[in-house]
Amino acid sequence: MRIAILADVPWPTGAAGSVRVRRWAEELSRAGWEVTVIPIGNYGSNDAADVDQEFDTATKARFTSKFGVLGPGGWSSLTRIAEALRLAKPDWILCYGRRVSTMAACIARRPRGTRIAVDVSEHPAITLWERSHRSLVGWDHWLGARYLLRQADAVFAITPNLAAACQPWTRTPITVVLGMTNSVSIVFSAATRIPHKFGYFGSWHAKDAPAFVIRMAARMLMNDPGATFETVGFIPQKILAALVDAGLDSPRTVHHGAVSDERLAGVLSSWALALMPRSDAKSARFAFPNRAADLLGCSVPVVVRESVGIASLGADSGVILVPSDDAERAADMVSSILSDQSRLAEFQSAARRGAERNLCATQAIGRAISIMRQARLETIE
């Protein structure tokens, strides 16, 4: 089977979407599919050539303008992308992205007979919900998602909440493919864990509730004189200043910055637990960050607020729920777990079991492959 992945993401790295697309591509390739990744978005220097030989990439087949077909050179870019699709001769096109000016335009030019799969990681109305006014960008996303879901022969969603929200938009049943961890995380999950060490893994975006994280971390260090706090990921200057103001610049705090894929699992596996409360934004109710899967795959329980999408996994998968409205009370609850080695070990074991059961990329995409093969057979019949 041949599949082309149309991805409106920086490639090969640069965003959570890039990680998810790469995991799709790697697992499909390992399963024997002929995979071509076509990163159609315009992301400047992040959109570098990929030297990985596991699957082909067509990095030149992308929009030269961030406005897709509506920008300068948009129609000539679309022609190049359509030609890349023609040369790939795919049985399936997997869409990651939802803009009508990019993704939907490309699908409209797909080769005849090609089936469409859509991977949905955000609610189609996110840009209408979370802006102060209705914008052209919001309508670009909303209309594109509407079109893609109507065209789709297979649909995958990153959380059950999102699947339920999108089901009325499509004629095909939606399969949940949660955030995925790869085999590297599982291999390193037995690394030596350091008691009383906790951390934060992310980029400190508003949707990750940075103020809540900072307040929790400061309180937990105050509660437990033996505790240490680490961060992984780029820290904006404004957040760095807030960390210093909260006293999180002491020898008990370590900022690793960006960590390579090869080192990531080893760093995460030394943590007893991780803070990932996330914000109360509507989009967070439907999202499942890839980094949550990486943490759980390393047997690291994640601390989340009750209202967010990750919460659906529950304690039996290593998710520690805390109140959404009180960072200090949440910190006190987590400190009590951090100091109780027996209870903490139960959460860590649950994280490992939950990752193996729900988040393994090989298993998740194996189920997706079965669905796509069945849909293809039904077409032939």
Side-chain angles (χ1 to χ4, degrees):
M1 294 277 278
R2 292 185 297 273
I3 188 166
I5 304 178
L6 280 181
D8 194 357
V9 297
W11 186 260
T13 61
S18 309
V19 174
R20 186 164 173 91
V21 169
R22 175 165 289 281
R23 289 180 180 168
W24 271 105
E26 288 173 342
E27 294 303 329
L28 287 165
S29 181
R30 289 190 184 109
W33 286 46
E34 185 178 322
V35 181
T36 302
V37 179
I38 305 177
I40 64 173
N42 176 266
Y43 295 98
S45 59
N46 284 337
D47 200 9
D50 186 7
V51 296
D52 192 334
Q53 298 302 310
E54 254 193 306
F55 47 88
D56 294 328
T57 58
T59 56
K60 293 182 180 179
R62 57 184 175 130
F63 287 101
T64 55
S65 165
K66 66 180 180 180
F67 301 107
V69 294
L70 304 179
W75 287 102
S76 59
S77 297
L78 178 61
T79 299
R80 288 194 297 274
I81 294 167
E83 178 63 10
L85 285 173
R86 186 188 68 80
L87 292 174
K89 300 178 181 177
D91 301 293
W92 283 89
I93 295 175
L94 174 64
C95 302
Y96 187 91
R98 61 190 185 280
R99 296 167 57 196
V100 72
S101 62
T102 55
M103 189 67 64
C106 294
I107 289 304
R109 294 282 298 272
R110 67 186 181 275
R112 186 185 300 275
T114 304
R115 296 182 74 85
I116 303 299
V118 178
D119 186 29
V120 188
S121 61
E122 291 183 324
H123 193 285
I126 175 177
T127 47
L128 297 180
W129 285 339
E130 296 182 0
R131 292 174 181 266
S132 58
H133 58 278
R134 297 293 176 95
S135 66
L136 288 176
V137 172
W139 285 114
D140 192 7
H141 286 243
W142 189 90
L143 291 171
R146 190 85 174 184
Y147 174 77
L148 289 170
L149 287 169
R150 284 177 178 267
Q151 296 292 313
D153 301 290
V155 181
F156 309 102
I158 202 166
T159 61
N161 293 346
L162 186 55
C166 292
Q167 189 61 75
W169 292 35
T170 181
R171 58 184 169 80
T172 187
I174 299 179
T175 302
V176 176
V177 176
L178 296 168
M180 296 177 281
T181 188
N182 56 28
S183 58
V184 174
S185 298
I186 299 296
V187 168
F188 278 93
S189 63
T192 303
R193 199 177 305 281
I194 299 177
H196 302 275
K197 180 194 284 189
F198 65 100
Y200 170 79
F201 175 23
S203 299
W204 302 95
H205 294 311
K207 63 185 177 182
D208 286 319
F212 203 94
V213 173
I214 292 170
R215 288 166 59 194
M216 281 194 69
R219 177 80 166 212
M220 289 173 66
L221 290 183
M222 183 182 71
N223 289 343
D224 183 352
T228 56
F229 176 57
E230 292 189 351
T231 69
V232 170
F234 171 75
I235 306 177
Q237 192 60 42
K238 181 178 179 181
I239 298 297
L240 192 58
L243 289 165
V244 172
D245 289 344
L248 296 173
D249 60 337
S250 71
R252 297 170 64 195
T253 300
V254 176
H255 302 306
H256 290 282
V259 174
S260 67
D261 290 343
E262 292 75 19
R263 291 185 53 239
L264 180 61
V267 173
L268 299 183
S269 294
S270 70
W271 297 358
L273 55 81
L275 306 182
M276 192 175 290
R278 312 217 76 201
S279 74
D280 283 331
K282 289 183 179 179
S283 57
R285 302 174 192 173
F286 301 99
F288 194 110
N290 288 311
R291 61 187 185 277
D294 287 331
L295 286 160
L296 294 168
C298 291
S299 303
V300 180
V302 294
V303 177
V304 305
R305 292 154 95 172
E306 297 166 328
S307 60
V308 303
I310 315 169
S312 62
L313 281 182
D316 61 349
S317 293
V319 174
I320 301 172
L321 298 181
V322 296
S324 297
D325 57 349
D326 191 332
E328 283 69 31
R329 185 159 66 96
D332 292 344
M333 290 175 58
V334 177
S335 290
S336 69
I337 295 173
L338 194 64
S339 62
D340 185 339
Q341 292 304 302
S342 175
R343 190 178 176 197
L344 183 60
E346 291 177 3
F347 274 110
Q348 290 166 350
S349 296
R352 174 63 182 268
R353 291 194 305 270
E356 292 176 337
R357 182 173 63 247
N358 300 313
L359 306 176
C360 175
T362 301
Q363 294 178 19
I365 294 178
R367 292 191 295 269
I369 287 172
S370 296
I371 289 168
M372 288 190 285
R373 281 179 172 157
Q374 183 60 39
R376 188 71 180 172
L377 288 173
E378 291 172 356
T379 298
I380 294 172
E381 291 174 357

